[in-house]
Amino acid sequence: MGDLGGLRRRLPYLADLGVDAVWITPWYPSPMADGGYDVADYRDIDPRFGTLADADALLAEAHALGLRVIVDLVANHTSEQHPWFAAALAAGPGSPERERYFFRDGRAGGAEPPNDWVSAFGGGAWTRVTEPDGHPGQWYLHLFAPQQPDLDWSTPQVADEFDAILRFWFDRGIDGVRVDAAPAMAKAPGLPDAGHAPGAAFESRNWVGNPHWDVDAVHDILRRWRRIGDSYGGDRLFVTEAVVNGPERLSRYVRPDEMHTTFNFDYLTSPWDAAALRQVVDSTLAALEPVGAPATWVFSSHDETRHVTRFGRAWTGAAFGGAALPASETDLELGLRRARAAALLTLALPGSAYVYQGEELGLPEVEDLPEEALQDPTWERSGRTVRGRDGCRVPLPWEGDRPPFGFTTGAATWLPQPAGWARLTAAAQHDDPGSTLSLYRAALRLRRRLRGTGMSWRDAPEGVLAFDRGPRFRCVVNLAAEPVDLAGQGEVLLASGPCGAELPADTAVWLAPGG
Ligand code: NOJ
């Protein structure tokens, strides 16, 4: 969390980094019960971030630097402070105002929730309201926090409103939209029980035929939005967040008349293991090929433990949403070596790649935030057992030798930065050819020459991934314990760590074959 003034000031940094676009998480007025994913007004900017005029200036300045801007659309739910929800509470049962959300009578005479659905942040997905007459009354649905009531997309006014919101932002000049929680937007008619066991976790990647996730009617909404995006011409991009059951279900979100791209959680959550990663790459490309959609690749996000930290643990995979992982020691030196190799893998794959802010600096997860600083609703909803996602959201260090490292002119950032980040600042890394920032800058530049080339795997020893992109580019990633011989593979273009005739463990290299 920063502000639009700060973001504008750092746009040249992003252009210099070499990215094509910037995705901004929700910037709308919000009580911030879930990092802005609880929107109170979809047509304005939260005052703590700036104004609509700042957003316009940001768009103009980004475009002048050749950067596109993607904004986040949170359409499954509003904030409890959205005027529609206030009106629904005030209007009472049976009112048209309540039809924009899911208000239902409880079971067992009203005392029990209407069904067994669960919240992504732990616990049940229903909260009971006090009616205007002061008595306990109906329940409303929230697949996330209670401060995020779900909208009922079968109510025409909801769909019409979001058409208008999309047009509002396309008219202002945004280049694309990231669709939050896309699989949540449709629910099975009648809201039947899901059959969840008591205390069930929110494990949407395992759900098949679930009544509150990945229900087919969601695709009607996506088709409607695609028509609006297309009506603006140019390269307007949609990317969905869809944590669903396997690549085939995921491919439905990117059929030709739906979204252009979708995040790839199988890759994000994969362990640092050659066979597992190859399997994810193959199944992703195979599932997307029939619908003609490009793949996307990402290892970190604002919802996930940073991969420098994950890759330094015994269990290197991830559990989406900051769930508790088996405790183990973290070797950050090993994690960073692997994360640098992972950068060369990710940026060599065909399709789009996402870099999560600070990843290019090699930032680790901040695992020792004081409890009183924690903001993620997961913390309270899990009875203070799951710390949640704050450790990856700590503002990045720009310059200087102590917090707030140039991020703010105030005394401190909203989540405190570790003092040890002095050696990781963008300023400290900028002119160091061996820094992680320099590696990302070089890779993002070289990557441009890969456009339009497919990939083909090469035979490689166990634990090694090797593939070509056309005749003049090869990527070799060594995930095995032993070094691998590079003789005859070509001239080194870029390496994630020291490498000569042999590629050491947990190191990746880009080569020009025949060079
Ligand atoms: C996904 C977002 O990435 C996450 O940060 C948020 O908590 C949920 N959707 C709910 O909007």
Side-chain angles (χ1 to χ4, degrees):
M1 244 189 240
D3 61 26
L4 296 191
L7 184 46
R8 283 169 63 191
R9 196 153 76 85
R10 302 296 179 175
L11 285 172
Y13 167 86
L14 292 175
D16 176 59
L17 178 59
V19 297
D20 303 299
V22 53
W23 153 34
I24 304 170
T25 54
W27 56 5
Y28 317 102
S30 165
M32 302 288 163
D34 179 24
Y37 285 92
D38 47 323
V39 179
D41 178 357
Y42 289 84
R43 291 182 181 77
D44 206 348
I45 300 292
D46 191 286
R48 79 195 84 190
F49 300 147
T51 62
L52 275 177
D54 293 329
D56 292 341
L58 183 145
L59 286 167
E61 290 163 11
H63 290 159
L65 287 165
L67 293 166
R68 315 286 182 91
V69 178
I70 298 172
V71 303
D72 220 306
L73 186 67
V74 189
N76 174 63
H77 43 267
T78 69
S79 161
E80 61 173 350
Q81 290 184 24
H82 189 283
W84 276 7
F85 194 68
L89 288 179
S95 61
E97 286 84 351
R98 287 208 173 176
E99 285 172 12
R100 298 187 289 219
Y101 295 91
F102 292 97
F103 279 85
R104 296 289 184 277
D105 295 334
R107 297 200 269 214
E112 296 292 326
N115 66 26
D116 68 352
W117 296 1
V118 290
S119 156
F121 296 142
W126 294 89
T127 290
R128 196 171 191 187
V129 303
T130 302
E131 298 297 355
D133 65 7
H135 289 95
Q138 289 194 300
W139 298 68
Y140 69 90
L141 177 69
H142 52 86
L143 290 183
F144 295 89
Q147 297 90 337
Q148 295 166 296
D150 278 44
L151 288 163
D152 185 347
W153 271 85
S154 67
T155 300
Q157 206 193 340
V158 171
D160 292 345
E161 173 68 357
F162 277 88
D163 286 358
I165 291 165
L166 267 183
R167 290 205 173 89
F168 177 87
W169 289 104
F170 278 133
D171 286 343
R172 290 200 104 84
I174 61 157
D175 302 286
V177 171
R178 180 263 189 191
V179 179
D180 183 62
M185 291 192 294
K187 277 83 180 176
L191 315 187
D193 276 339
H196 293 310
F202 198 91
E203 291 175 331
S204 62
R205 296 175 79 213
N206 301 332
W207 292 341
V208 177
N210 180 288
H212 61 77
W213 200 259
D214 197 21
V215 172
D216 285 337
V218 77
H219 299 287
D220 300 335
I221 304 169
L222 302 182
R223 287 191 190 97
R224 187 174 172 134
W225 289 354
R226 175 64 183 263
R227 286 195 294 274
I228 293 175
D230 284 353
S231 75
Y232 280 81
D235 292 332
R236 310 287 170 156
L237 170 110
F238 286 99
V239 55
T240 56
E241 183 210 26
V243 186
V244 294
N245 187 264
E248 193 282 324
R249 289 303 295 184
L250 188 64
S251 71
R252 293 166 183 255
Y253 288 76
V254 285
R255 288 178 286 199
D257 57 348
E258 299 194 34
M259 306 286 90
H260 303 87
T261 54
T262 185
F263 289 119
N264 184 349
F265 288 93
D266 288 344
Y267 188 73
L268 187 146
T269 55
S270 173
W272 182 246
D273 173 87
L277 284 163
R278 181 168 174 159
Q279 193 277 330
V280 173
V281 171
D282 283 341
S283 61
T284 301
L285 295 177
L288 295 178
E289 202 267 331
V291 291
T296 70
W297 315 100
V298 61
F299 269 130
S300 273
S301 79
H302 64 295
D303 290 329
E304 195 47 76
T305 305
R306 284 186 179 274
H307 62 281
V308 166
T309 297
R310 293 197 326 257
F311 290 169
R313 291 176 175 159
W315 168 249
T316 51
F320 176 69
L325 288 165
S328 72
E329 293 295 310
T330 306
D331 178 345
L332 286 180
E333 211 175 296
L334 174 66
L336 181 61
R337 192 159 65 242
R338 288 175 169 172
R340 290 171 56 102
L344 293 199
L345 169 64
T346 302
L347 295 175
L349 291 170
S352 0
Y354 284 76
V355 177
Y356 177 52
Q357 57 95 2
E359 171 185 331
E360 78 283 10
L361 302 177
L363 296 187
E365 184 84 359
V366 182
E367 300 195 272
D368 58 355
L369 285 170
E371 289 185 1
E372 61 277 11
L374 297 181
Q375 318 257 343
D376 189 338
T378 305
W379 174 238
E380 292 298 340
R381 297 221 9 120
S382 67
R384 300 189 162 211
T385 56
V386 182
R387 290 172 70 87
R389 303 160 292 177
D390 294 315
C392 66
R393 298 177 177 187
V394 174
L396 49 78
W398 291 113
E399 64 222 1
D401 55 9
R402 68 180 71 93
F405 296 119
F407 193 90
T408 173
T409 51
T413 48
W414 72 296
L415 293 168
Q417 300 156 310
W421 278 10
R423 62 191 173 80
L424 294 175
T425 63
Q429 295 196 38
H430 190 270
D431 297 324
D432 172 0
S435 71
T436 302
L437 178 57
S438 295
L439 178 74
Y440 272 80
R441 285 163 66 221
L444 285 161
R445 269 165 191 73
L446 277 171
R447 166 184 161 80
R448 292 178 188 274
R449 51 167 101 151
L450 303 181
R451 284 197 180 137
T453 55
M455 76 175 276
S456 48
W457 291 111
R458 294 179 56 80
D459 288 342
E462 199 181 329
V464 176
L465 297 173
F467 57 93
D468 287 348
R469 295 280 308 275
R472 282 182 292 280
F473 181 91
R474 179 165 301 161
C475 175
V476 184
V477 191
N478 184 6
L479 298 93
E482 299 303 320
V484 41
D485 188 11
L486 285 177
Q489 298 266 19
E491 176 204 342
V492 173
L493 299 170
L494 188 63
S496 69
C499 112
E502 289 192 325
L503 183 65
D506 295 311
T507 307
V509 67
W510 287 0
L511 302 145

